[in-house]
């Protein structure tokens, strides 16, 4: 496959396609696979788009916008970043500004603003974007506190504009297949859901930016923990499958947070959620594994299981009658937002529907500091900045936690010195 990139003349050239990853390198399919065939954008006039943040994850938005511009769906008219774009990264016709304020002052009639910047900047940038007549695409996590989330929801409601949150996995067509198999009783009664993620992140990962691994910077919330950033899709996808979208869909949240790296935030944690309908969801996550494995969400039924590898859109169903596996397509969230603006198509990953996730983030934000894992139970593999921590027995621990809906301390693990922290849900 091939994808487009800008040349100096502003024309498109073709280069080999690459995987379009989620934030922090999470592979989410190729750009072509990501485009939903029924997104409803084909007949729309070209939308005027501004991108805030052209480095890091912003580069993947650039690639997607190149694809959409080649198809005539959008025109990237301006970008903003305090660091200049790499040569050829944006079309020559796009204006470049050091910040969003300058961009908005000089760029009228925007249809869409995409914000792909550090977590702690999301709230002010999103509020500024909503003061225009443009729709907003905001990368995950939406903001770094429940208070900011509530302010953003109020601003979005007052503006009347759509706000899409960048949980790309929610565009997977496998989610509809899961709804259908649950309705059909294929795996019996749904008894619980677990999300399991085990990745490797080295010392360089925490040196890539000043906010990496931080709970806050100079009093400003960041909340860059394993469940709220690198493996946030695991949490968001499990919640969506459980039907927990808004803040009213969650009955309880417990956290048990640990860190093997010398950081402020958690890198190895269990988040235990119960929905308003009484369904348990347990997210057992680490970036201190011996090797990276595609994360997955398991549906535990009375008559079988379904396992959704959300980065691959792959669904495996196992019952007494056998095992089946299928890989699905995916709708692109940018196209979905454009179709929402033009035709009122429902948003796939709306701001309001990230309320349940924001309760989890708030529980992590307000929890006690993550407990250090005794170095006796941590080994280091690799050298220098390429070295990464591996928690002893973490793979089995994650599986047991998800299967039993138990925290690490409840499993009696020798390094689990913390205990579950119960989050006090805000009054509705």
């Amino acid at each position: 496959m091939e994808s487009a990139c800008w040349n100096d003349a502003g024309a498109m050239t073709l280069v080999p396609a690459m995987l379009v990853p989620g934030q922090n390198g999470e592979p989410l399919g190729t750009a072509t696979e990501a485009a939903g065939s029924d997104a409803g954008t084909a007949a729309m006039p070209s939308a005027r788009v501004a991108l805030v943040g052209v480095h890091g994850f912003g580069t993947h938005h650039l690639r997607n916008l190149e694809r959409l511009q080649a198809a005539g769906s959008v025109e990237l008219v301006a970008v903003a970043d305090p660091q200049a774009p790499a040569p050829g990264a944006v079309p020559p016709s796009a204006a470049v500004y050091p910040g969003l304020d300058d961009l908005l002052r000089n760029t009228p009639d925007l249809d869409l603003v995409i914000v792909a910047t550090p977590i702690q900047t999301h709230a002010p940038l999103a509020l500024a974007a909503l003061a225009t007549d443009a729709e907003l695409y905001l990368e995950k996590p939406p903001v770094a506190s429940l208070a900011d989330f509530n302010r953003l929801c109020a601003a979005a409601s007052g503006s009347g504009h759509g706000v899409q949150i960048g949980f790309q996995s929610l565009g997977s067509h496998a989610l509809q297949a899961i709804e259908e198999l649950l309705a059909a009783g294929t795996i019996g009664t749904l008894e619980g859901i677990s999300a399991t993620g085990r990745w490797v992140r080295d010392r360089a990962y925490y040196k890539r930016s000043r906010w990496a691994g931080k709970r806050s910077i100079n009093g400003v919330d960041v909340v860059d923990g394993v469940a709220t950033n690198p493996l946030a899709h695991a949490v968001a996808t499990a919640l969506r499958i459980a039907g927990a979208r808004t803040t009213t869909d969650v009955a309880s949240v417990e956290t048990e947070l640990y860190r093997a790296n010398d950081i402020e935030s958690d890198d190895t944690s269990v988040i235990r959620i119960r929905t308003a309908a009484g369904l348990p969801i347990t997210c057992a996550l680490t970036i201190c594994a011996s090797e990276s494995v595609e994360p997955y969400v398991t549906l535990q039924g009375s008559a079988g299981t379904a396992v959704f590898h959300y980065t691959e859109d792959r669904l495996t169903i196992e019952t007494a009658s056998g095992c089946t596996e299928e890989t699905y397509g995916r709708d692109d969230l940018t196209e979905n937002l454009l179709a929402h603006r033009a035709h009122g198509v429902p948003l796939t990953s709306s701001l309001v529907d990230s309320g349940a996730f924001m309760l989890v983030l708030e529980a992590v934000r307000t929890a006690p500091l993550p407990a250090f894992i005794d170095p006796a139970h941590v080994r280091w593999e690799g050298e220098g900045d390429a070295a990464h921590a591996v928690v002893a027995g973490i793979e089995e621990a994650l599986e047991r936690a998800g299967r039993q809906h138990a925290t690490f301390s409840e499993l009696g693990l020798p390094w689990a010195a913390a205990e579950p922290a119960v989050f006090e849900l805000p009054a509705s």
Side-chain angles (χ1 to χ4, degrees):
M1 295 181 63
E2 295 178 313
S3 64
C5 68
W6 305 107
N7 64 26
D8 291 338
M12 307 299 295
T13 59
L14 295 176
V15 297
M18 299 174 63
L19 286 179
V20 177
Q23 272 186 283
N24 299 292
E26 181 177 345
L28 293 172
T30 65
T32 300
E33 291 165 346
S37 60
D38 57 352
T41 59
M44 292 190 296
S46 179
R48 289 168 55 82
V49 178
L51 173 63
V52 189
V54 299
H55 301 283
F57 193 69
T59 62
H60 306 297
H61 281 288
L62 282 172
R63 185 178 302 125
N64 195 36
L65 290 170
E66 289 170 356
R67 177 183 67 85
L68 294 174
Q69 184 151 329
S73 299
V74 304
E75 178 189 2
L76 180 59
V77 297
V79 302
D81 198 303
Q83 181 183 350
V90 301
S93 58
V96 178
Y97 299 96
L100 179 58
D101 287 345
D102 287 339
L103 185 154
L104 295 179
R105 274 195 301 269
N106 293 282
T107 314
D109 302 324
L110 286 171
D111 296 304
L112 172 61
V113 175
I114 300 174
V115 174
T117 58
I119 301 167
Q120 69 274 15
T121 68
H122 284 191
L125 294 176
L127 289 170
L130 284 174
T132 73
D133 191 38
E135 311 298 299
L136 172 63
Y137 185 123
L138 181 62
E139 266 309 327
K140 62 85 182 167
V143 285
S145 73
L146 191 60
D148 279 343
F149 174 74
N150 290 333
R151 279 191 287 270
L152 191 56
C153 284
S157 177
S159 73
H161 303 320
V163 181
Q164 185 95 286
I165 304 302
F167 288 115
Q168 295 95 341
S169 59
L170 302 186
S172 177
H173 299 168
L175 294 181
Q176 179 63 39
I178 289 171
E179 286 187 21
E180 292 169 359
L181 75 87
L182 290 175
T186 304
I187 61 171
T189 301
L190 182 60
E191 299 177 334
I193 295 175
S194 64
T196 309
R198 56 180 194 266
W199 277 352
V200 172
R201 292 296 182 266
D202 57 20
R203 285 193 174 109
Y205 176 78
Y206 291 108
K207 293 182 177 181
R208 75 191 194 282
S209 65
R210 71 187 190 97
W211 57 269
K214 299 288 189 181
R215 283 168 69 95
S216 63
I217 297 177
N218 299 325
V220 177
D221 291 313
V222 177
V223 202
D224 181 32
V226 62
T228 55
N229 194 14
L231 284 165
H233 278 87
V235 179
T237 306
L239 287 166
R240 175 59 63 90
I241 292 171
R245 297 176 179 237
T246 70
T247 55
T248 60
D249 294 327
V250 174
S252 66
V253 182
E254 297 172 89
T255 60
E256 195 172 290
L257 313 178
Y258 296 89
R259 46 184 169 163
N261 288 276
D262 186 16
I263 57 175
E264 293 179 3
S265 292
D266 54 310
D267 56 33
T268 303
S269 296
V270 170
I271 314 293
R272 185 164 56 194
I273 308 156
R274 189 168 292 275
T275 71
L279 187 71
I281 305 171
T282 301
C283 305
L285 312 168
T286 189
I287 46 179
C288 299
S290 57
E291 62 178 353
S292 289
V293 174
E294 294 303 320
Y296 49 93
V297 175
T298 303
L299 287 72
Q300 303 155 341
S302 60
T305 59
V307 180
F308 177 36
H309 290 81
Y310 62 83
T311 64
E312 302 173 326
D313 299 314
R314 179 165 55 91
L315 179 63
T316 302
I317 303 169
E318 187 169 356
T319 66
S321 61
C323 181
T324 63
E325 182 174 288
E326 186 169 349
T327 300
Y328 294 83
R330 174 176 296 198
D331 289 338
D332 176 67
L333 296 188
T334 302
E335 290 182 80
N336 172 247
L337 180 55
L338 293 171
H340 171 80
R341 179 176 178 86
H343 306 299
V345 172
L347 290 174
T348 298
S349 179
S350 73
L351 175 66
V352 171
D353 283 349
S354 67
F357 174 84
M358 283 304 305
L359 284 181
V360 173
L361 183 145
E362 186 73 358
V364 172
R365 186 185 75 86
T366 59
L369 283 171
F372 269 117
I373 297 175
D374 187 331
H377 299 285
V378 179
R379 73 176 187 273
W380 286 86
E381 297 184 354
E383 300 294 334
D385 285 349
H388 64 94
V390 180
V391 176
I394 190 60
E395 288 80 7
E396 181 185 1
L398 297 176
E399 290 292 335
R400 290 178 60 200
R403 186 169 58 249
Q404 299 177 33
H405 295 283
T407 67
F408 296 138
S409 65
E410 291 169 347
L411 294 175
L413 301 180
W415 49 264
E419 60 183 23
V422 178
F423 173 60
E424 185 175 346
L425 291 173
S428 57

